[in-house]
């Protein structure tokens, strides 16, 4: 395992923040994982597991070892009467993997097309889009424990998936390295096309995984800034989930407040983007840090904003939304400080 000292992380995070890592290594195979384990036992410094860097904000330089997961490989692991099981290594690009499943004639991941990042990070926040979450088709994942070298397999019931949540996000960050993930893709697909935007785009179409994926890609490209052109980490805040009673009180004062009743609970999800827009932040800019003029939920780096400058805007947004609506927004990306 080669270790690079004082490495720039600019090209390794989609915000394009020019932070550095004291040490950086690329994890390409089992030997590299063993070497990382060894390094950890001999050094009293923290480590950070990095995928595509699309759900992170480096608020400052990282004074430890960043382990960039570059494990590659994907295959059809198994098949039964009802489903095929496909696996991909943690460093595979998520969108390329989705496209590969569609090319094989499999359905189930099409709504999650064009989400940036790697396969190994996808379970961390149970990625979701257009009415579908990773947990819908998740089967198992494999991890290596960087503290004791143990290899473990997790089935769905042990992952504690929730809205942008999992056991790995709440309990084991930087300790369990996800080496591969397996999905169960049903042979009789169930299409999810009732999401606003998608429904209209697909009206009258004969549905297939490919057709839905193309519509998702087109919708996403028209709404979200491309991180290769304008640095961002997608939605910067989670959509707040409120008790029905609280949501109704707010709705009485703000008649256009969006609300999506949550299945099996007395809760309503509202739109963080709507709240931020109403608080006047869309298109805001301070130096190179700002808020997208396309989507109020997306904080952007116009060129050379620092992580601290981007985080300052996030804090100001949280304060102003709380002052106006009494709701404390929760950041979605991991803030590294
Ligand atoms: C333009 C844009 C649009 C987006 N749209 C969506 C969306 O629609 N839905 C959605 O859910 N997200 C979305 N995101 C957020 C992001 O793409 C996802 O969260 C993605 O899964 C992050 O993957 P990554 O490889 O970049 O993870 P990173 O940002 O590198 O890491 C995220 C977290 O996962 C951990 N991690 C990474 N790899 C591993 C591993 N192999 N083992 C253990 N831990 C690991 C890291 O330590 C970190 O805590 C978007 C981001 C952008 C920039």
């Amino acid at each position: 395992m080669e270790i690079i000292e004082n490495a720039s992380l600019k090209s390794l995070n989609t915000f394009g923040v020019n932070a550095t890592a004291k040490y950086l290594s690329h994890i390409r195979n089992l030997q590299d994982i063993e070497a990382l384990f060894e390094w950890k036992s001999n050094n009293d410094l923290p480590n950070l597991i990095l995928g595509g860097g699309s759900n992170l904000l480096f608020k400052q330089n990282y004074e430890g070892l960043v382990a960039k997961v570059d494990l590659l490989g994907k295959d059809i692991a198994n098949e039964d009467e009802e489903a095929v099981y496909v696996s991909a290594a943690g460093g595979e690009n998520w969108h390329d993997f989705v496209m590969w499943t569609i090319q094989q004639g499999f359905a189930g991941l099409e709504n999650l097309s064009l989400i940036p990042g790697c396969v190994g990070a996808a379970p961390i926040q149970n990625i979701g889009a257009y009415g579908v979450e990773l947990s819908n088709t998740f089967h198992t994942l494999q991890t290596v424990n960087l503290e004791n070298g143990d290899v473990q397999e997790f089935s769905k019931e042990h992952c504690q998936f929730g809205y942008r949540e999992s056991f790995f996000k709440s309990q084991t960050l930087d300790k369990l390295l996800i080496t591969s993930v397996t999905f169960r893709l049903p042979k009789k697909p169930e299409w999810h096309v009732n999401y606003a935007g998608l429904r209209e785009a697909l009206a009258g179409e004969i549905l297939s995984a490919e057709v839905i994926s193309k519509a998702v890609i087109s919708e996403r490209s028209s709404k979200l800034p491309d991180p290769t052109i304008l640095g961002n980490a997608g939605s910067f805040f989670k959509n707040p989930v409120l008790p029905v009673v609280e949501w109704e009180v707010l709705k009485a004062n703000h008649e256009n407040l969006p609300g999506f009743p949550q299945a099996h609970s007395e809760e309503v999800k509202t739109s963080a983007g709507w709240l931020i827009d109403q608080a006047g932040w869309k298109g805001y800019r301070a130096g190179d840090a700002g808020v997208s003029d396309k989507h109020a939920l997306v904080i952007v780096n116009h060129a050379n904003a620092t992580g601290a400058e981007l985080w300052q805007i996030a804090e100001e947004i949280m304060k102003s939304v709380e002052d106006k609506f009494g709701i404390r927004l929760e950041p979605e990306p991991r803030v590294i400080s």
Side-chain angles (χ1 to χ4, degrees):
M1 177 181 80
E2 190 197 353
I3 294 184
I4 307 158
E5 276 186 54
N6 295 320
S8 168
L9 297 169
K10 191 172 167 61
S11 64
L12 298 179
N13 71 101
T14 59
F15 262 124
V17 165
N18 196 13
T20 56
K22 191 170 172 64
Y23 302 109
L24 170 71
S25 68
H26 289 264
I27 306 301
R28 299 190 172 96
N29 49 42
L30 200 57
Q31 288 78 3
D32 288 342
I33 298 178
E34 279 165 7
L36 175 60
F37 175 56
E38 193 71 24
W39 184 92
K40 266 186 73 69
S41 0
N42 294 324
N43 288 276
D44 200 14
L45 283 174
N47 73 279
L48 170 74
I49 302 174
L50 183 67
S54 64
N55 209 23
L56 292 170
L57 174 62
F58 287 103
K59 214 172 122 189
Q60 59 196 58
N61 294 336
Y62 188 72
E63 298 299 330
L65 182 138
V66 171
K68 165 85 177 82
V69 179
D70 286 331
L71 302 165
L72 296 180
K74 50 186 179 289
D75 66 0
I76 301 165
N78 207 346
E79 182 171 359
D80 58 30
E81 275 186 16
E82 292 175 357
V84 287
Y85 298 80
V86 288
S87 298
E92 284 286 338
N93 176 277
W94 172 260
H95 176 67
D96 291 350
F97 172 61
V98 173
M99 292 297 103
W100 176 80
T101 62
I102 293 173
Q103 278 156 20
Q104 305 293 314
F106 306 146
L109 299 179
E110 55 281 353
N111 290 50
L112 304 178
S113 300
L114 211 62
I115 297 181
C118 297
V119 168
I124 299 284
Q125 73 152 359
N126 183 23
I127 56 167
Y130 295 96
V132 172
E133 289 182 334
L134 167 130
S135 55
N136 292 90
T137 48
F138 175 88
H139 182 56
T140 50
L141 61 74
Q142 282 70 39
T143 62
V144 176
N145 186 322
L146 298 180
E147 284 173 4
N148 58 22
D150 280 357
V151 174
Q152 223 181 326
E153 178 166 281
F154 286 82
S155 61
K156 192 165 163 178
E157 55 176 328
H158 295 115
C159 294
Q160 298 172 17
F161 288 126
Y163 168 58
R164 301 296 184 269
E165 278 301 336
S166 72
F167 169 72
F168 312 100
K169 186 169 179 181
S170 62
Q171 313 272 331
T172 69
L173 279 184
D174 300 324
K175 185 171 150 190
L176 294 187
L177 190 154
I178 297 175
T179 49
S180 72
V181 187
T182 301
F183 296 86
R184 180 185 185 279
L185 304 180
K187 289 182 175 172
K188 279 196 191 142
E190 198 187 310
W191 308 125
H192 298 270
V193 293
N194 277 329
Y195 209 84
L198 205 52
R199 187 175 48 232
E200 296 75 12
L202 289 167
E205 295 277 354
I206 297 171
L207 298 179
S208 69
E210 198 178 349
V211 165
I212 295 171
S213 169
K214 277 193 180 141
V216 167
I217 291 171
S218 157
E219 269 290 303
R220 291 184 70 94
S221 309
S222 69
K223 290 211 174 115
L224 289 168
D226 177 349
T228 61
I229 298 168
L230 186 60
N232 74 88
S235 305
F236 199 89
F237 298 100
K238 292 184 182 179
N239 287 318
V241 180
L242 310 171
V244 175
V245 187
E246 208 177 294
W247 182 82
E248 280 171 350
V249 172
L250 266 177
K251 178 84 175 165
N253 294 324
H254 306 278
E255 66 171 317
N256 294 325
L257 180 78
F260 309 96
Q262 297 302 282
H264 319 299
S265 80
E266 296 287 297
E267 291 174 319
V268 177
K269 191 193 275 181
T270 189
S271 158
W274 187 88
L275 298 171
I276 298 167
D277 198 1
Q278 294 299 303
W281 288 95
K282 202 186 221 174
Y284 172 84
R285 183 167 178 169
D288 276 344
V291 177
S292 164
D293 55 7
K294 278 185 174 178
H295 204 317
L297 199 47
V298 181
I299 292 181
V300 295
N301 178 5
H302 287 278
N304 296 311
T306 62
E309 287 164 345
L310 294 163
W311 178 244
Q312 189 177 336
I313 290 194
E315 281 192 314
E316 286 171 16
I317 291 174
M318 286 190 277
K319 179 164 188 328
S320 88
V321 167
E322 192 165 14
D323 289 348
K324 193 170 167 64
F325 298 102
I327 297 176
R328 183 72 184 166
L329 292 176
E330 200 186 321
E332 187 180 301
R334 180 171 172 199
V335 180
I336 309 291
S337 54

